[in-house]
Amino acid sequence: MPGRPLDVLEETLGDEVTVHLKGGEVYEGVLDGYDQHMNLVLGGENTTIIRGDNVVSIQP
């Protein structure tokens, strides 16, 4: 897997991910999309949009 963050996200599209946020919240879902600011769209039972500046880590 390439080392640049956006390359890693590209490789992870369509896969299940766990996203940890600054406030301690944790979201799990399928990574359906992202943009250059690392805003994320997680799919699953509900679609969740996460603002990139709140993300601490993304685990595939």
Side-chain angles (χ1 to χ4, degrees), residues 1-20:
M1 219 187 270
R4 295 183 334 175
L6 293 179
D7 291 339
V8 173
L9 287 177
E10 183 67 29
E11 292 288 325
T12 310
L13 271 176
D15 293 342
E16 185 82 21
V17 295
T18 302
V19 180
H20 296 264

Side-chain angles (χ1 to χ4, degrees), residues 47-59:
T47 298
T48 303
I49 300 172
I50 300 173
R51 187 175 167 111
D53 60 358
N54 291 319
V55 175
V56 173
S57 70
I58 304 167
Q59 297 173 318

